[in-house]
Amino acid sequence: MIKKKNSDDYHKLLTSLFVMVFVVMALLVWHFLNTRSMVADTIAGELYATADGYAEELREQIETMTEMAVPVAKYLEMKDCDDEQFWDEAATICTILQKNTKAEKVLICSPDGVGCWNDGEKVDATLLNIWPHIFDGSGKHIFREEAEEGQILISCIPFLRNGQSWCIVMYYDLKAFQRIIKSSAYAVNSFVALTDTNGKIILDNGSDSKFLQQEGFLDYTEGATDEAVVKFKTRMKSKSKAYIALNYQNEKRVIYEVPVNAPDMHAAMVVN
C-alpha cells in the first residue's frame, strides 16, 4: 500500500511538472510570436510612414503647381476685352505660368477647342490626345497621359469667359519629380518608386534592382499566392495602403505602397 501511494504521488508530481513545463513553453512561444508580430508591425508602420513621406511631398508639389494657376484663372475671368486682345494676353500669361511653375508647356483653350500655347502658337485643341479629359465636368483636376518621352502630368484649371467654361492646361514631365523619389533612408536594402494603381513603374530612384527590369512589380509573382496578389490589387485600386512579398530571380522584396491621391499614383517603398 505504501509503495502504491508513493507511486501515485510520483505520477502526480510528474504530471504537475509536465503541465508546468507545457504552460511555461506555451507562454514562451506566445511571447516570442507576439514579440515578433509587434516588431513586424512596427517595421511595417515605419516603412509605410516613409512611403507616405514621399507621397505627401509629391502631393504638396502637385498642389502647389496647380494652385499657382488659380489666381491667373480669376484674372482671366475678370478680363473684359475683344478676342484679339484676349489671345495676346493669353499668350503672355501662358509664358509667365510656364516659367514660374516650371511646366513643360501651358495651353489656354476655349470649350470649342480654340487654343493658344505659351509660345503664342494657336492650336486646335480638339486634335490633342488629352482633349476628352480637359473638360470632364469635375472642375480643377489632374490626370496622367502617356507620351513618347514618358509620363506627363496634366493639370486643368477652369475659368469662365462670356458665360462659357474655358481652361488653363499645364503639362509637367513626371521626371520633374525625380528629386522626390530619391535615395531611401534604408540605403542599399531598399529603393523608392512611383507606380500606377496596377503596379506599373512610372518613376524610380535609379536602383539596380532586378525588380526594375520590366514594367511593373506584379510582373514578378514568384512565391506570391493568388490570394495575396488579388488582395494587393484590390487595395491598390481602392487607393488604400497595400503590401506584398515577391521573389524574382532570387531577389526577395516586400513592396509597401501608399496612395498619392493624385491621378492614380502610389509611392512604393521596396525593401529586402
Side-chain angles (χ1 to χ4, degrees):
M1 291 295 292
I2 293 174
K3 286 184 178 180
K4 184 178 180 181
K5 183 178 179 181
N6 288 339
S7 178
D8 289 342
D9 290 343
Y10 178 72
H11 284 299
K12 286 179 181 179
L13 180 61
L14 283 178
T15 302
S16 298
L17 287 172
F18 175 77
V19 170
M20 186 181 300
V21 169
F22 177 79
V23 169
V24 170
M25 290 298 295
L27 287 172
L28 287 172
V29 170
W30 176 86
H31 177 72
F32 170 75
L33 293 176
N34 191 51
T35 301
R36 189 172 66 172
S37 177
M38 289 173 63
V39 170
D41 289 344
T42 300
I43 293 172
E46 289 177 357
L47 292 168
Y48 273 134
T50 302
D52 198 44
Y54 292 113
E56 183 60 30
E57 191 172 352
L58 193 55
R59 291 182 205 115
E60 288 178 0
Q61 186 163 335
I62 291 170
E63 185 64 22
T64 298
M65 291 187 306
T66 303
E67 286 299 312
M68 290 182 75
V70 172
V72 173
K74 295 293 183 185
Y75 171 78
L76 290 173
E77 285 185 339
M78 296 185 293
K79 196 70 180 173
D80 186 15
C81 58
D82 59 33
D83 285 349
E84 185 177 351
Q85 186 180 352
F86 175 82
W87 285 116
D88 287 343
E89 187 84 8
T92 301
I93 285 174
C94 283
T95 301
I96 293 171
L97 269 178
Q98 188 269 327
K99 288 180 178 178
N100 286 278
T101 63
K102 297 182 180 179
E104 292 293 303
K105 51 188 177 179
V106 179
L107 169 74
I108 289 180
C109 68
S110 74
D112 299 323
V114 180
C116 176
W117 293 110
N118 53 278
D119 61 2
E121 182 183 351
K122 291 291 185 67
V123 63
D124 181 355
T126 64
L127 300 178
L128 301 175
N129 291 336
I130 67 168
W131 173 253
H133 307 295
I134 294 177
F135 298 97
D136 70 348
S138 63
K140 183 178 71 174
H141 59 286
I142 302 171
F143 60 93
R144 281 185 298 108
E145 179 73 11
E146 195 84 45
E148 289 183 7
E149 61 272 24
Q151 291 272 341
I152 303 295
L153 195 67
I154 312 291
S155 177
C156 298
I157 299 89
F159 65 94
L160 292 176
R161 173 170 163 76
N162 299 330
Q164 293 182 310
S165 180
W166 288 48
C167 198
I168 299 172
V169 184
M170 305 167 73
Y171 285 65
Y172 293 97
D173 187 339
L174 269 173
K175 291 177 184 175
F177 302 102
Q178 190 79 47
R179 175 187 64 80
I180 295 173
I181 309 301
K182 54 198 170 187
S183 296
S184 163
Y186 295 87
V188 295
N189 292 320
S190 69
F191 65 89
V192 183
L194 191 65
T195 77
D196 66 12
T197 50
N198 294 311
K200 180 180 177 180
I201 301 161
I202 299 169
L203 194 66
D204 66 80
N205 68 339
S207 167
D208 60 358
S209 169
K210 295 174 183 176
F211 277 77
L212 296 173
Q213 291 177 356
Q214 293 191 21
E215 288 191 353
F217 289 139
L218 293 182
D219 295 338
Y220 319 105
T221 54
E222 298 175 37
T225 64
D226 291 341
E227 182 182 355
V229 173
V230 170
K231 182 178 179 180
F232 183 75
K233 287 182 177 179
T234 301
R235 291 189 64 80
M236 291 275 284
K237 289 290 186 184
S238 65
K239 296 184 179 180
S240 302
K241 293 180 180 179
Y243 77 93
I244 191 168
L246 297 176
N247 178 17
Y248 178 65
Q249 293 185 359
N250 295 320
E251 181 180 332
K252 297 180 180 180
R253 298 280 186 168
V254 181
I255 301 166
Y256 293 85
E257 296 255 15
V258 172
V260 176
N261 294 332
D264 300 326
M265 294 192 296
H266 277 65
M269 189 76 192
V270 187
V271 298
N272 282 350

